[in-house]
Structure formats: C-alpha cells, structure tokens
Amino acid sequence: MSINLSSSEHPYAHLIDTLPDGIKFYNPRKLGDPRYDKLPLSIRILLEAAIRNCDGFYTKEEDVQNILDWQQQQEKAAVPFSPARVLLQDFTGIPAMVDLAAMRDAVAKHGVDPDLVNPKCPTDLIVDHSLQIDYSKCAIQNAPNPGGGDSSNQSQPPPPRSTAARPPSRGGSHCGGQRGSCSKAACSDPPASSGRPTSVQQIENTPLLCPFHLQPVSEVETALKNQEMELQRNKERLHFFKWCSKAFKNVNVVPPDVGAVHQVNLEYLSRVVQVSDGLIYPDSVVGTDSHTTMINGLGILGWGVGGIESEAVMLGQPVSLTLPQVMGCKLVGSINPLATSIDIVLGITKHLRQAGISGKFVEFFGPGVSQLSAPDRTTIANMCPEYNATVSFFPVDHVTLKHFKKTNFTDKKLELLESYMKAVNLFRSYEESSEDPQFSEVIEINLSSMVPHVSGPKRPQDRVAISSMKDDFQSCLNEKVGFKGFHIAKEKQDVRIPFLHGGQEYQLAHGSVVIAAVISCTNNCNPSVMLTAGILLSKKAVEAGLVVKPYIRTSLAPGSGMVTHYLNASGVLPYFNQLGFEVIGYGCATCVGNTAPLPEAVVDAIKKGDLVACGVLSGNRHFEGRLCDCVRANYLASPPLVVAYAIAGTVGIDFEKEPLGWTSEGKEVYLRDIWPSREEVQQTEEDTVISAIFKDLRRRLEKGNTFWNKIECPDSVVFPWDHKSTYIRSPPFFSKLSKDIPPPQSIENAHALLFLGDKVTTDHISPAGSISRVSAAAKYLQSKRLTPREFNSYGARRGNDAVMTRGTFASIKLHNRFIGKPGPKTLHIPSGQTLDVFEAADRYQRDGTPLIILAGKDYGSGNSRDWVAKGPYLLGVRAVIAESFEKLHKSQLVGMGIMPLQFVSGQNADTLELSGKERFSVALPESLRPRQQLTVRTSKGTSFSVTALFDSEVDVIFFQHGGLLRFVARTVVENGPAAAAAGEQRLTSV
C-alpha cells in the first residue's frame, strides 16, 4: 500500500520521524506508551506495519491499539498484517500465477482492462522445485527421461565393464567434458576383494563412464545434464513463467538452476529493512511454503501461508491473524563440541513440541543466543512447522550485522539498518537481560544438553540419539506397525538377501541404507554442517580409505551455488564426489520424492526379503513412502551423519563401539577418529564463506542462464493458453462469474465422498511426488497420448487443474474408513462400487449431488499447499466436518468457499453413530456470522450441531462470494480503475 507521507489524513502522521540521512519512518516510540518497550520484538513489527498501513478500512486504529495492548488482547483480538513482500516457489507459485492469468480473462469478459490484475505487493517467484535426478555418479539409471514419471521398472544395473556391449549412440553425441555431451555416468566396478576399501589412489583414478558409450566423461557434466533435462522437461512451465515476468507488474522471477527458494530468500532477497518512496520500514514476508519461517533467523518476520492467502496479499489484502501468544525461549549454557546445529535444531524442536506451542510465536532470548551464528538461527527457524509454531523469531543483533556484512551489504546499508533498528527499539543485545521483553510464557533450554541425534523412522519429532540408534531400530522391527514400528517376525529379522550389482555380490538386510541424500531444504543453508560433512570426508574418510557401496543412491543437491562455491573453495568437493555425493543440481529432489529409481537388483532384494530398507537425508520431510515406495524407514540427519551412515551402509550400528570401516591396512576406523572439531570447522568457514561467494551468487542470479534468456514469449496482456498443453491450463474457478453475489446456498442431501480418521495431513490430500501409472491422473495423461515416461511429477503439473484434481486424495497412505485399508479409493455410495476418489466425485457431480468429507482430529496438518483446498473444491466438496482443523488449512478451505464445520466438543462421527453412508443437509441462514452454530440433518432422521469455523466477518464475506478469488475478481469488475481500493464497497454492501 502506498502511503502519502505529507498527508495529514493518516491517523498516525504525527509519528513520522527522520533518520540523520533524511529517510523518514513511522516511530512507534513517539506514542509515548510504556507498553511498547515491553512488547516482544516480533509483536513490535506487527505494530509498526499496522501503524504504517492504517487506512481505516483493512487496518483500523483499533487494530493498532489492540496490538499495543498485546498483553491483554493475545488470543482474543484478530488483527491484520500487511507484509512487505510475497515469496513464491514454482510448485506452489505457479497455481497462484495461473489464477491471476485466468482472472485477467474473467475481468476482460466483463469489459474491464485485464492489465488491472497485478500483484500490488512486491512478489518474488523462485523457479526451484522441479529438479529430478536423471544422472548420477554412483548408480546407472534408466535412459534420460524427458517426461519424468515412474520408470523404476526400467532401471538396470550396469553390466560388467569388460563384457558390456556398447549401447547405440544417441544422436551422435560425444562423451567428454563439453556441455551437451553425455554425462550420465556409471559407477566404476567395485573392487573384487574381501570387501576392504580401495586406496585413495584407486578411487581417484576411477573414471566416470557414459552408460551409452562407456567412455570417460567429466564429473561437472552430471549437474549440467540434470539441468538440461530439467529445463527441457519443464519448458511449458518456464514459458509461462517468462510471460509472467513480462506481463505482470511487481513480479520478479528468479530463473531455474540458481537455488532453492529459501536459500535465495536468505542470500539475495532479504533486506531486514525496506526503503520505498523515502520511507524505511522492517522487511517482512509471507510465502507459499511452510518453511518460509527460515527467514526469522535474520530478524525478518515471515511465515508460510497457502496459495490462496498469498494471492490475497499479492492483491493488496492483509493477512488476518489472531494476536498470538509469544513464548520466550531462553537459551543458556554452552554448545557441546560434538553437537552440530542440526542437533541443536532437533533438540529445540523436541522441547518446543512438548511445550504445546501450536499456532504461537516463539521468540528467542538469553545469553545462549549469541553463540549461534546467523545460519544456525535460520536452521532453527526453518523447523518451525515441525513444532507447530507460527514463527521462531531471532531479533537482530551484532551477529546478524556480521552476517550481512559477509553477504555484501555495504557499510552504508549496514549503518542505515542499525540506525533504524535502534531508533524503533528492534535491535537486541542478548547479554543485556534488562532488554528482555515480557512474554506469555518462558521456556528455558540448556544448550549443553544437546547431543547428536537423528529423527525417524517415519516422523521428524521422533528423535533418536545416535548412541541409541542400533537398539532403537531393533525395537522398531519388533513393535507393531505404527509411527515407530514395522512388526517383523523374530525369525525374519536376521535375513540377508544377496544380489549382484556391477558384477559383484552384495547383501541387504533390515536397516541397510539404500538412499543417502544431502539436500537443500534444511541444512545446506548452514555452512558449518556442510563443512563438517566435507571435512569429515576430505580430511578423514577418504584418506582412511573408506568408501560408500556403489548401489546406495547418493546425491548432493545444494540449496544454491553458494554451497558449491564454499565446498569447492575449501577443497572438499572432490572428496564428496569420490564418495558419490556429487552435485546433481539445485532445488528440492529427494525430499519431495524426486529420487531416481533404485537399481532393479536392490528393489528385487528388498521385496524378496520384505526388508525394512532405509533412507538417510539431511532434510525435514521423510514420511513413509515419500522418498521411495520400497524404502520404509527414513531418518533425518545432519549432513555429516548422512555421510557416516552411507559409509557404514546400515543404520544398525553403534558408532561408539563399532567401526565405520577399515583402512587399506585393515585398521578399524571409528566415527570419532574422523569427526572434525568445532574449531576446525569454524576456521574453515571463516576462510571460505566470504563476501566474494555471495557476490558471485548475485552475479549469476542477475545474469540468468542461456536457456532461460532464450525463451521467447508474447507481449500480450492476457496469456495465450495452449489448449494442447498438459502443464498449463486455465482453471475453472471463474466460470460463470456473475457481477452480483449469489444468495447463500444450503447443502441439501449431500453424500460423504470420504470418511477419514485423525491426523489427515496435506500429504494425504494434495498431490505430490511422482504420478502413479494406475492413477486417475495417469489415465488423463494417457488420454492426451503421453507415455508414463512423460508424466513428470504432480509438482511440475500444478498449473493443470485436470491433473491436480485427479491427484487429490490419491495418496497410497490415505486411510478411508469406507475402504478399510490404505489407498486412493472410496465408495460410490449409490452404486456400492469402489472407485478412484476422482471417479467417484465425477459421478456425483454429473448427478448433481453435493459432497462433504467426514474427518477426525487435526484435519489438514502439515505443509501449506493450496491444492489441499482447490482439489476438494473442484471435486465438488462443499463442506468438511471434522473434530478439529489445522488452522492454516481451515483458512484455505474458507478461501476456496468450502465450509469448515467442527463437531461440538465431545462429539464425533462415532459418538453420533454415523456410518458415513447417510445423506447430509446443512441449512445456511441469510445472515451468517463468525463461529455460528449450524445444524446438520441426516437421512436417518437424526441431527447434530456443528460450528462454522469462520473467524471473522471477512471470512464470511469470502465464503459468500464463493471464495477469495471470486471476491477479488468481482472487486476488480466493480471498481475498474479504482480496484486499488480493494473492495471496500463490496465489503460494506454484504
């Protein structure tokens, strides 16, 4: 929102102050209210935004007073927050941009200039999440797959080098180090010895081989070829993004293969303060990813929202939130020398999860904070969704300034930042307890108690000390199937399955590691843990002659080129490569299910022995089946521990008592022998993570890549939809859009599409990962004459509603009580047939039957994803009746015009003796109110009460419009050139 600083109409114009260099700012301290200096610093940022954006409509003076009176109003008053910018990544960003493009079409049909549809809030779109691993050093995969999809059955292990017939050449391409040449390298034959590792010299002399020509190729080509495949596979999406960058005002598109969204946000987009039109104010952000919270580690307030909410902010509307409780997390004690920042993260995660802080702000203070580097803080803040807080905020201090000096902030910019933050009392000295604000509650955590841990085998909150890992995994085999158990019969726990790979025999057992991935989302932003892993490899492991078995799917997907730079500058990258952890590209890969297929022999061995094979990754998502269908146990670990478990080849190891391996002389090598000291790591970080690295990142960001720069797109105001495209399609959200608001429509004789239990996550609802060959989405793509090799992933096709709707509730882990076993099926009640969820919904819609969903507790927990609401909406779902909802998902349902209805306390589907096969009717009053009690009638003649979870009048208005998108489109149609007024007339007329 643009503020006229000279206007006396602004209710807080008297708070405008001036810095020594002449830049103006709103100074809340000029209120003269002693409550301000007692507010948590995160709340002070909310207050400043409310003061600056106080327009009497979206933000009112009473909102400012409510925030100032936070101590009394927390968890009571709903207030608006207008962030400084919006952050989109491509998987969740593309639906938002597709919606805006479709909205341009809709307003144009009403005779309104479509160029009026633009983001009003600055929006950054980072093209990152489409990376798939087609090429890898450590395992030969199937031939390059231009369309992605499930090709696991086509993977073949490499034949022995001496007897392999040369495969036919592809298009006459030549092996070697030139860009565009073959680089899909096979691993060299492992030594045919007693299993002792080869020497360093032997490893260094092992060439990478092109599987098509069996000729040596350059290692760097692996990342380049993965990039080329990514760009080719996603050219339709990239064409659309390029059009967006030219057509929409206020949109900045960061091209592909630069870095993951959070990494780019941290290194390139973050400002701490923003300066616009002579006004300085705190930087803040909302993003379409739950891990946007990472930015709080730099003193920048931000969190993840759904695509619907992000679109609202893009179009000038504030985020509505109930004033949160702020839990003060006091850090004391000294960090254990063996503990990495990831151990600190997981330790804090455990404490905060146990504290029950769902939906609250966490703000860190105490002398222990000063021991944490800026990357440490961002890593802790990144895990915020795992302990269900809204944000984990680290106020700006001298450590923050030191970090930004490293990242090419000029002295002048740093002086301005420090001057402003101190002027509005947003700068902290953690050693000064007199500066501590008042919190809702204080939790104290002793950093010296943190020891190395991993998390798993199925949930991030299930932490296991590495000293207990062997015993814990054994107990998981014994326990019944659940969050920690696999229920393997005693007589089958010691089974070992032999198999051939690369001409040599290996064995798999329960606990064998088959996937080891150092990936971008959580850890690669932190140089200390990456350098620990690198030094672990370069100075210790390789020199000791340790190797990783060649059948283990290893990969290194850095968050950005900065990581590659400092790994290379420190001299450790070649050693990463020698153990198989080569850079495969930039962006999410393993963590989002884009793991390359395992070797067929490995898959067969796992199936033959019904083995609990393991994946180890340095990420933050590892639900069962997410990495690979045949890998049941997955553990989150710090990068050095990922490497350690890969070398060990099993999670069933006690690092204290058992060696990782042996030297070429047969000497045992223990983890403690090769673990670098904290001082060693910190010195390397100081020597390598320098401002030149960040300068180079900015250069690459601004330059883009050749493929992106050559993409041509029209200069049209509306997007020229290609009706043959299977990636980008105009969604039907604006079909039959009327200028007037339709009257309230009660739900009459609805069927339940699904009957679900507790803890249905967004992973169960929203499509993600690969597209199964037997899914409804696959049938659609095959009808478009695509082969399974061309399916790509749900993430890449988020701009096609036909694919995403068919993928909604298509999770193999969905527990639908109508079916009685996991799977993406449901009961079509009128016919009694078991169908794919989409096929059943399609039948109901063709018959004109409205739909509801019955669910238990915590419906919609997990990542923020817009298709968790868009998908059900397009399936015809009018309401979800559940015992409780995850807050963000509830807002997403409202934003799509779906009613979130909550059973009254003490009631649920079972206590009400609902079979789910009844018909349900919900009468809506003409004047719907927030939190209103409604009555649900069933075809059995029974009825029960539910609460309509509309938190505010604005929620009710969005619902009455049929969702936020229709509300915004009607605002533009009605106001025309005055659309910047953002719908005041429409709101007051409802």
Side-chain angles (χ1 to χ4, degrees):
M1 178 177 176
S2 178
I3 301 293
N4 184 354
L5 294 178
S6 62
S7 174
S8 59
E9 295 179 2
H10 194 288
Y12 292 102
H14 61 287
L15 300 184
I16 294 175
D17 211 338
T18 306
L19 292 173
D21 59 1
I23 296 178
K24 297 183 181 299
F25 65 101
Y26 283 90
N27 191 349
R29 302 181 76 177
K30 291 183 70 174
L31 289 168
D33 195 311
R35 291 176 295 178
Y36 177 74
D37 290 331
K38 292 296 182 181
L39 291 176
L41 276 72
S42 53
I43 300 299
R44 296 179 202 179
I45 293 176
L46 293 181
L47 179 65
E48 188 282 337
I51 289 172
R52 177 167 38 88
N53 292 288
C54 190
D55 60 356
F57 173 59
Y58 279 119
T59 304
K60 303 174 182 176
E61 291 184 63
E62 66 184 82
D63 295 318
V64 173
Q65 293 303 315
N66 282 336
I67 299 174
L68 191 59
D69 194 28
W70 169 79
Q71 284 286 1
Q72 302 301 319
Q73 296 298 326
Q74 55 185 293
E75 294 197 310
K76 296 178 182 177
V79 297
F81 174 54
S82 297
R85 55 193 175 91
V86 174
L87 182 70
L88 308 176
Q89 47 97 324
D90 61 354
F91 271 19
T92 49
I94 195 168
M97 303 311 296
V98 165
D99 290 346
L100 291 182
M103 191 184 296
R104 283 194 166 190
D105 294 340
V107 302
K109 290 178 181 178
H110 283 272
V112 176
D113 182 3
D115 197 35
L116 294 174
V117 177
N118 286 291
K120 293 181 173 60
C121 183
T123 300
D124 296 295
L125 193 158
I126 291 81
V127 184
D128 72 332
H129 272 53
S130 57
L131 180 65
Q132 294 186 30
I133 305 174
D134 293 283
Y135 298 91
S136 174
K137 173 183 177 181
C138 274
I140 181 171
Q141 281 117 248
N142 54 303
N145 181 359
D150 180 10
S151 52
S152 57
N153 293 330
Q154 301 167 22
S155 176
Q156 299 291 335
R161 190 181 311 162
S162 59
T163 59
R166 176 172 300 193
S169 173
R170 291 190 165 234
S173 62
H174 301 287
C175 298
Q178 298 178 1
R179 183 175 178 83
S181 62
C182 295
S183 65
K184 185 175 178 180
C187 185
S188 62
D189 291 339
S193 63
S194 61
R196 301 287 190 228
T198 60
S199 68
V200 176
Q201 184 65 34
Q202 285 174 300
I203 297 173
E204 289 176 344
N205 291 336
T206 298
L208 298 172
L209 298 180
C210 166
F212 302 124
H213 309 97
L214 297 182
Q215 298 294 319
V217 296
S218 169
E219 261 182 84
V220 71
E221 286 299 300
T222 305
L224 293 177
K225 291 299 288 184
N226 275 318
Q227 175 189 347
E228 290 171 3
M229 290 298 298
E230 174 190 1
L231 299 177
Q232 185 64 27
R233 174 187 289 124
N234 295 288
K235 58 185 178 181
E236 288 185 33
R237 297 168 55 248
L238 297 179
H239 177 266
F240 176 71
F241 284 141
K242 192 68 175 281
W243 176 82
C244 290
S245 69
K246 297 173 67 175
F248 289 112
K249 303 178 180 68
N250 235 2
V251 171
N252 170 46
V253 178
V254 176
D257 207 55
V258 169
V261 56
H262 308 304
Q263 193 80 11
V264 174
N265 190 25
L266 287 170
E267 297 167 11
Y268 183 69
L269 303 175
S270 300
R271 295 291 180 267
V272 183
V273 293
Q274 297 276 3
V275 179
S276 177
D277 298 328
L279 181 70
I280 188 171
Y281 51 91
D283 188 13
S284 57
V285 61
V286 294
T288 55
D289 191 293
S290 55
H291 294 278
T292 303
T293 52
M294 195 176 222
I295 205 67
N296 291 281
L298 298 180
I300 299 170
L301 189 64
W303 62 87
V305 297
I308 299 299
E309 293 91 341
S310 68
E311 290 177 51
V313 176
M314 289 163 62
L315 294 168
Q317 300 185 24
V319 175
S320 177
L321 74 156
T322 301
L323 269 176
Q325 288 191 356
V326 181
M327 312 298 284
C329 187
K330 186 175 184 179
L331 301 183
V332 298
S334 300
I335 297 175
N336 186 311
L338 293 179
T340 68
S341 63
I342 306 308
D343 300 314
I344 305 299
V345 168
L346 295 178
I348 291 174
T349 297
K350 179 181 179 181
H351 281 285
L352 295 181
R353 182 177 286 278
Q354 291 174 342
I357 56 172
S358 178
K360 301 174 183 178
F361 281 17
V362 175
E363 188 165 308
F364 291 87
F365 73 110
V369 179
S370 299
Q371 299 177 53
L372 302 176
S373 68
D376 286 338
R377 299 175 188 186
T378 59
T379 310
I380 292 168
N382 180 66
M383 293 297 278
C384 197
E386 308 306 335
Y387 43 83
N388 292 325
T390 301
V391 299
S392 286
F393 190 73
F394 289 85
V396 173
D397 69 340
H398 289 292
V399 172
T400 316
L401 296 183
K402 181 180 178 181
H403 169 78
F404 278 106
K405 188 170 185 177
K406 260 187 194 179
T407 59
N408 284 328
F409 268 45
T410 63
D411 289 342
K412 182 178 179 181
K413 189 181 297 185
L414 285 171
E415 290 172 6
L416 175 64
L417 188 161
E418 185 174 1
S419 175
Y420 170 73
M421 299 300 276
K422 288 182 175 179
V424 293
N425 207 5
L426 287 174
F427 193 88
R428 277 241 47 182
S429 172
Y430 289 105
E431 287 76 18
E432 293 292 334
S433 59
S434 61
E435 295 183 12
D436 294 347
Q438 294 178 352
F439 296 106
S440 306
E441 187 179 332
V442 172
I443 304 167
E444 184 171 298
I445 298 177
N446 193 326
L447 295 176
S448 60
S449 66
M450 306 300 177
V451 295
H453 281 78
V454 296
S455 289
K458 301 179 184 181
R459 302 188 304 175
Q461 64 263 40
D462 295 326
R463 298 173 69 237
V464 185
I466 60 170
S467 58
S468 306
M469 182 62 170
K470 185 174 183 177
D471 293 337
D472 188 82
F473 182 75
Q474 183 63 44
S475 69
C476 290
L477 296 181
N478 293 325
E479 289 185 21
K480 65 181 181 180
V481 175
F483 292 130
K484 289 280 289 183
F486 298 101
H487 199 236
I488 303 299
K490 290 282 187 182
E491 63 273 13
K492 295 183 178 180
Q493 291 183 9
D494 295 326
V495 65
R496 291 184 173 275
I497 306 298
F499 67 98
L500 288 175
H501 180 81
Q504 181 163 330
E505 182 175 301
Y506 299 90
Q507 289 186 343
L508 287 184
H510 293 293
S512 290
V513 174
V514 295
I515 295 174
V518 178
I519 56 178
S520 61
C521 197
T522 301
N523 308 307
N524 293 1
C525 68
N526 194 314
S528 67
V529 290
M530 289 300 295
L531 289 170
T532 300
I535 296 171
L536 169 69
L537 296 175
S538 65
K539 305 294 184 186
K540 319 285 185 179
V542 173
E543 291 177 353
L546 301 181
V547 296
V548 175
K549 293 180 176 65
Y551 60 80
I552 297 176
R553 178 70 74 241
T554 52
S555 60
L556 170 59
S560 80
M562 186 204 75
V563 181
T564 305
H565 272 281
Y566 68 66
L567 290 178
N568 193 49
S570 63
V572 302
L573 194 57
Y575 296 94
F576 260 122
N577 293 345
Q578 287 170 23
L579 290 186
F581 292 90
E582 63 172 353
V583 176
I584 53 87
Y586 302 97
C588 286
T590 305
C591 197
V592 294
N594 283 345
T595 306
L598 296 176
E600 187 174 346
V602 172
V603 175
D604 290 343
I606 292 172
K607 292 180 178 177
K608 182 178 180 181
D610 190 26
L611 299 177
V612 181
C614 297
V616 187
L617 66 154
S618 61
N620 51 37
R621 281 287 186 271
H622 66 322
F623 300 120
E624 186 176 5
R626 183 173 177 125
L627 271 64
C628 180
D629 288 346
C630 62
V631 179
R632 285 190 273 173
N634 298 300
Y635 289 91
L636 303 182
S638 63
L641 286 178
V642 170
V643 177
Y645 279 112
I647 293 171
T650 178
V651 299
I653 181 174
D654 185 337
F655 286 131
E656 288 291 326
K657 301 176 181 178
E658 299 175 71
L660 281 177
W662 297 264
T663 67
S664 56
E665 292 79 25
K667 181 182 177 182
E668 293 179 336
V669 180
Y670 289 83
L671 181 61
R672 59 179 174 269
D673 298 330
I674 59 175
W675 193 274
S677 68
R678 177 173 290 273
E679 292 75 21
E680 196 177 356
V681 173
Q682 288 178 339
Q683 186 59 52
T684 305
E685 183 175 357
E686 286 295 322
D687 293 342
T688 58
V689 186
I690 55 177
S691 61
I693 293 173
F694 292 88
K695 183 177 181 180
D696 184 75
L697 171 67
R698 283 165 170 75
R699 180 189 61 79
R700 290 188 299 105
L701 276 163
E702 291 158 3
K703 181 180 179 181
N705 60 59
T706 303
F707 187 99
W708 173 260
N709 293 336
K710 288 183 177 179
I711 293 176
E712 295 183 358
C713 62
D715 293 326
S716 57
V717 176
V718 295
F719 183 67
W721 306 98
D722 180 358
H723 298 292
K724 295 181 181 179
S725 173
T726 57
Y727 281 92
I728 306 296
R729 205 173 93 131
S730 181
F733 300 130
F734 304 100
S735 61
K736 300 179 182 178
L737 177 72
S738 62
K739 188 174 182 179
D740 297 320
I741 309 169
Q745 295 184 353
S746 298
I747 300 175
E748 297 290 343
N749 293 318
H751 270 303
L753 176 64
L754 296 162
F755 190 7
L756 306 171
D758 296 340
K759 297 187 181 301
V760 174
T761 71
T762 53
D763 273 8
H764 294 116
I765 306 170
S766 184
S770 61
I771 298 173
S772 168
R773 296 186 180 195
V774 295
S775 64
K779 294 174 186 176
Y780 165 80
L781 293 173
Q782 286 170 336
S783 73
K784 301 296 182 182
R785 299 185 178 181
L786 297 183
T787 66
R789 290 167 58 80
E790 298 171 305
F791 285 174
N792 210 324
S793 64
Y794 282 114
R797 294 188 182 275
R798 291 180 85 100
N800 185 332
D801 64 278
V803 172
M804 299 304 288
T805 305
R806 286 164 171 81
T808 303
F809 295 110
S811 169
I812 61 173
K813 300 300 179 183
L814 180 72
H815 285 265
N816 180 8
R817 293 173 64 176
F818 284 148
I819 304 301
K821 60 181 180 180
K825 301 286 184 180
T826 195
L827 177 68
H828 181 253
I829 297 171
S831 68
Q833 291 181 285
T834 297
L835 303 172
D836 287 335
V837 174
F838 171 80
E839 292 173 351
D842 187 52
R843 275 203 201 180
Y844 283 126
Q845 290 201 68
R846 283 189 273 117
D847 294 338
T849 303
L851 297 172
I852 66 164
I853 290 173
L854 293 174
K857 299 174 183 175
D858 300 325
Y859 182 79
S861 58
N863 293 59
S864 60
R865 292 180 180 168
D866 52 355
W867 278 103
V868 294
K870 289 180 176 178
Y873 171 84
L874 294 179
L875 288 175
V877 174
R878 297 280 308 281
V880 178
I881 306 176
E883 287 186 70
S884 62
F885 292 82
E886 197 277 333
K887 183 178 180 181
L888 176 57
H889 182 52
K890 173 181 64 67
S891 299
Q892 292 169 328
L893 292 174
V894 172
M896 284 308 302
I898 298 175
M899 281 195 296
L901 303 177
Q902 184 170 293
F903 291 108
V904 298
S905 179
Q907 290 187 349
N908 57 36
D910 291 332
T911 63
L912 295 169
E913 298 182 348
L914 298 176
S915 69
K917 298 179 182 179
E918 304 89 349
R919 286 208 171 210
F920 300 86
S921 298
V922 185
L924 296 184
E926 288 188 10
S927 179
L928 190 61
R929 303 187 309 276
R931 295 276 169 172
Q932 187 170 358
Q933 292 271 317
L934 302 176
T935 299
V936 180
R937 303 186 313 277
T938 74
S939 55
K940 295 193 306 184
T942 61
S943 63
F944 57 92
S945 295
V946 293
T947 302
L949 297 184
F950 302 119
D951 288 333
S952 64
E953 292 292 344
V954 173
D955 277 357
V956 173
I957 292 167
F958 288 164
F959 173 74
Q960 290 174 329
H961 275 266
L964 173 61
L965 293 175
R966 286 175 169 261
F967 163 76
V968 173
R970 285 196 181 97
T971 298
V972 175
V973 169
E974 180 171 324
N975 294 338
E984 180 173 357
Q985 296 176 4
R986 173 65 65 189
L987 281 166
T988 55
S989 66
V990 172

